[in-house]
Amino acid sequence: MNLIPVNSSDLSAVGYDPNTQQLEILFNSGGVYLYQGVSAGEYQGLMNAGSKGRYFHAFIKQHPFFKIR
């Protein structure tokens, strides 16, 4: 999955696969997590959000996830 760098105090880069509805996030802390069942609209909302960290906590964090590294 290609990760796109983002400007955020929490997130470093974000990638999305619309076919599987999986969102990969590289956090500034170094952790990489994969969130499942994320709609294309939620991904676009994250990428367009003024505060990506705030959007993540409000809309993405509740999705099932697992740590990649």
Side-chain angles (χ1 to χ4, degrees):
M1 188 176 309
N2 291 331
L3 297 180
I4 299 169
V6 295
N7 290 323
S8 170
S9 59
D10 290 335
L11 316 179
S12 178
V14 175
Y16 183 68
D17 183 340
N19 295 319
T20 61
Q21 291 193 321
Q22 292 182 322
L23 178 73
E24 186 174 335
I25 297 179
L26 168 60
F27 288 89
N28 288 330
S29 63
V32 180
Y33 290 80
L34 191 67
Y35 293 83
Q36 300 176 323
V38 178
S39 71
E42 289 172 314
Y43 167 68
Q44 286 301 319
L46 175 65
M47 297 307 284
N48 294 327
S51 171
K52 290 177 178 37
R54 192 172 295 136
Y55 187 94
F56 166 78
H57 286 286
F59 299 102
I60 306 297
K61 191 175 180 178
Q62 75 273 10
H63 286 278
F65 69 92
F66 59 93
K67 186 173 184 175
I68 296 175
R69 61 182 160 107

